[in-house]
Amino acid sequence: MNRQPVVALESTIIAHGMPYPENVETALAVEQIIRDCGATPRTLGILDGEVVVGLTPDQIEQLATRPGVWKCCERDIPLAIARRADAALTAGASISVAARAGIDVFVTGGIGAVGPTASHDFDISADLPAIAEYRVLTVCAGAKAFMDIPATLEWLETHRVPVGVWQADDFPLFFSRGSGFSTGWNIPSAAEAAAVFQARPSGGVLVAVPLPEADALPEEVARAAIATALADAQSSGIHGKSLTPFLLTRIKELTMGRSLTANIALIRNNARIGAGIAKALCA
Ligand code: PSU
Ligand code: MN
C-alpha cells in the first residue's frame, strides 16, 4: 500500500516570524503550493492546550491574531497543554509533533542553530537535537548569518545528521545564498534526498535550500542589517527566545521590507521542494 505524501509546517513563523497579515497570507499560500504539488499540508500548532495536526485557515488566523500566543519549543509543549495555552510551535517542536503523527517531511524557513556565543552561554537551538533525534526530513533555507555556521555543521556531524544542500555546495544563510561552508552533499534531486532518508536507520535528515537568486539579499546587506539588529537587541536587553522574533522585525525595518520579501520567497520555494521529496518518499 502506498502512503500519501504529507508535509508538516510550523507556526512560529506565522505568530512570531512575520507581521500580520503577510503571515496568514503566506501560511495559506504555502499550504496551497503543497497541494498544487500533489501533497497534503499539515500546519502544526496548539490552541487552548490542544495539539492540532493540520490547522484550519480559521485556526491559522487565530494563532496569528490572538494575544499572548506562546513561542513554544519542544520542552514547552507539556506546559502549554497543562495551561491550555495557545502556542505556536518552533521548528524543533514541530518536528517532534510530526514524528509522533507519522509525517516524514517538515518544511520551515530558517532553523535555529549554534549561537555566536555558544562556547560560553550554551545557546544552541533546540531545533538541532530535534532534527538529529526524530525520524523526519527537514527542509529549510539554512540559518541566519549571525549564527555560527561552521559550529552548527560540526554539531550536526557529531550527531550523525546527513546535511544536504539543494543543487549547490554551500550551506545557505537564509536571507542570502552561500555561506562559504560546504556540507559535502550537493542534492541533485528529490529522489536522492528521499533515498538518503530511507537509507538512514533512525533519526533525521536536513535539506538546506538556497533561496531563489532574485529574492536573495546581498550578503553584505544582510550582514549589516543583522549586525545593527543584534546591537539593538543587546542594548534593549533582548535575549533567549525573544531574540529571533526581535531580530526578524528589526531586520525588516532596516532592509525596508526586503528581508520579508526574501522570507516569503524562501518558504514558498522550500514548500515546493519539500512536497517533491514527500512524493518521492511515497513513490
Ligand atoms: N529563524 C528564522 N525565522 C524563524 C525562526 C528561526 O530565520 O521564524 C523560528 C523557527 O520557528 C525556529 C525558531 O524553530 O525561530 C528558533 O528559535 P530559537 O532560535 O529561539 O531556538
Ligand atoms: Mn536560542
Side-chain angles (χ1 to χ4, degrees):
M1 190 198 74
N2 270 353
R3 296 177 310 137
Q4 295 300 306
V6 178
V7 175
L9 298 159
E10 62 143 312
S11 43
T12 294
I13 191 169
I14 303 171
H16 305 283
M18 287 184 190
Y20 185 84
E22 286 92 340
N23 53 359
V24 173
E25 289 163 10
T26 304
L28 298 177
V30 161
E31 288 200 339
Q32 192 55 45
I33 288 167
I34 290 169
R35 279 187 211 101
D36 291 345
C37 291
T40 302
R42 295 262 184 264
T43 303
L44 314 177
I46 298 181
L47 282 172
D48 302 314
E50 203 157 318
V51 178
V52 183
V53 179
L55 294 162
T56 64
D58 187 54
Q59 289 174 322
I60 288 174
E61 178 83 23
Q62 287 174 42
L63 264 192
T65 53
R66 280 191 187 178
V69 171
W70 297 11
K71 175 183 166 188
C72 187
C73 63
E74 189 180 350
R75 67 110 190 250
D76 301 330
I77 293 177
L79 187 62
I81 293 169
R83 294 251 177 107
R84 304 200 190 292
D86 299 318
L89 300 177
T90 63
S94 301
I95 290 165
S96 73
V97 170
R100 227 160 288 138
I103 301 173
D104 288 338
V105 176
F106 166 68
V107 167
T108 184
I111 53 163
V114 176
T117 50
S119 61
H120 65 264
D121 68 9
F122 294 94
D123 181 11
I124 298 174
S125 174
D127 291 353
L128 296 183
I131 290 165
E133 176 179 345
Y134 294 109
R135 188 78 190 120
V136 172
L137 181 146
T138 294
V139 178
C140 70
K144 280 191 291 309
F146 78 93
M147 293 292 180
D148 188 333
I149 301 299
T152 300
L153 296 178
E154 290 293 347
W155 193 102
L156 289 163
E157 181 185 318
T158 300
H159 293 84
R160 304 175 298 283
V161 180
V163 180
V165 182
W166 185 259
Q167 296 173 356
D169 292 315
D170 284 5
F171 193 78
L173 295 175
F174 191 63
F175 296 127
S176 42
R177 284 169 62 91
S179 62
F181 296 99
S182 165
T183 71
W185 176 26
N186 177 326
I187 308 174
S189 64
E192 185 171 286
V196 168
F197 183 69
Q198 283 162 337
R200 200 180 178 206
S202 65
V205 166
L206 184 62
V207 171
V209 184
L211 83 168
E213 190 112 52
D215 302 295
L217 296 186
E219 196 181 326
E220 327 76 70
V221 173
R223 277 193 188 277
I226 290 167
T228 305
L230 271 174
D232 294 349
Q234 197 163 24
S235 61
S236 315
I238 309 279
H239 56 88
K241 65 164 64 181
S242 314
L243 183 62
T244 296
F246 176 91
L247 292 175
L248 290 169
T249 304
R250 193 71 188 103
I251 292 166
K252 182 198 157 208
E253 293 163 5
L254 291 164
T255 60
M256 289 167 320
R258 282 175 77 193
S259 66
L260 180 60
T261 308
N263 203 338
I264 292 169
L266 68 85
I267 182 78
R268 294 173 65 107
N269 190 48
N270 291 353
R272 194 172 50 74
I273 288 159
I277 296 172
K279 281 169 68 184
L281 279 168
C282 294

